[in-house]
Amino acid sequence: MRFLRALLAWLSVPVLCLLGLFLCLARPFNPDNTRILGWALARTGRCLLGLERPLDGYDNMPLNRPTVIIANHQHNDDLFLMGDLLPPRTVAIGKASLRWIPFFGQVFWLGGNVLIDRKRSSRAVAVIQTTAEAMTRERKSLWIFPEGTRSHGENLQPFKKGAFYAAIAANAPITMVCAEAYRSETRGLLGRRRPVRLRVLPPVETRDLSSDDVPELMARCHREMSQAIHEMGTGEWA
């Protein structure tokens, strides 16, 4: 049953993305396209997986001003855990190879999200700088996984600098979304997933900071996220 649940959850992704493609074609590059599709993907995926997601601190999420949201990235299932947390007018940073995923890649691009080639670091930095300018000009928020790759439930990996440069350039706060360490554990004959707890931490303001403050800002955010993930622990589940 565990594998059937996982299969159904991931089969729902191209189906919902195909439906979302019509929305994106009707209003291409609208930043709320991603929010709507993310909500549908996350709610459908959690339902099919039998996954509960206790959430703490969502009132810390800025809803009326641009913010740079950073989250720890563990597995592909993060889509189902976090996809419905995007505030209005939020775009995401993703790797360039996403564009080749049928339906998902196309709606990701048409949703106004940003694709970067990590192998071309100078180009990636230029794209993030342009995104920071758009945050200020168009009042968009930005979602990014600062580790750059999946940790598979291990310790929080070192952060890349792009999110922090973007936040300072846009004078936007950094909002941290933390998911406890998890794997695809299930229980019972129905194969329901183990609940995964999330916590949204209070925003870290970046006004009056400069690019020289990036290392200290990165270290602070990494420390606070690591502490929150550790505090959530694995916990007991009924």
Side-chain angles (χ1 to χ4, degrees), residues 4-34:
L4 178 59
R5 281 185 177 275
L7 177 63
L8 290 174
W10 283 103
L11 284 177
S12 74
V13 173
V15 173
L16 289 172
C17 286
L18 178 58
L19 295 174
L21 189 58
F22 293 100
L23 171 68
C24 291
L25 289 172
R27 51 179 208 175
F29 308 113
N30 186 309
D32 277 326
N33 290 347
T34 299

Side-chain angles (χ1 to χ4, degrees), residues 78-202:
D78 291 346
L79 173 65
F80 304 134
L81 281 173
M82 304 178 183
D84 56 341
L85 297 183
L86 277 67
R89 299 186 62 78
T90 299
V91 296
I93 296 283
K95 56 186 179 181
S97 59
L98 289 177
R99 65 164 59 94
W100 305 115
I101 300 177
F103 305 130
F104 181 87
Q106 290 73 56
V107 297
F108 190 86
W109 176 63
L110 286 169
N113 298 296
V114 182
L115 296 165
I116 61 173
D117 186 350
R118 297 194 185 110
K119 295 179 181 178
R120 300 175 60 185
S121 58
S122 60
R123 173 61 178 162
V125 169
V127 170
I128 289 175
Q129 290 174 340
T130 301
T131 302
E133 294 171 4
M135 288 179 62
T136 302
R137 185 176 62 252
E138 302 173 20
R139 296 189 58 79
K140 293 179 179 178
S141 291
L142 179 67
W143 181 294
I144 189 168
F145 292 111
E147 296 165 282
T149 187
R150 295 181 295 274
S151 66
H152 301 288
E154 302 299 333
N155 293 330
L156 192 65
Q157 300 178 95
F159 287 166
K160 299 184 183 300
K161 298 178 180 179
F164 305 92
Y165 278 114
I168 289 174
N171 286 319
I174 294 177
T175 305
M176 295 168 279
V177 176
C178 308
E180 68 171 315
Y182 74 96
R183 293 181 175 83
S184 301
E185 300 143 297
T186 60
R187 64 172 181 180
L189 294 176
L190 294 179
R192 294 178 61 243
R193 286 285 183 91
R194 176 189 181 280
V196 180
R197 287 174 288 188
L198 266 64
R199 182 180 298 172
V200 182
L201 303 183

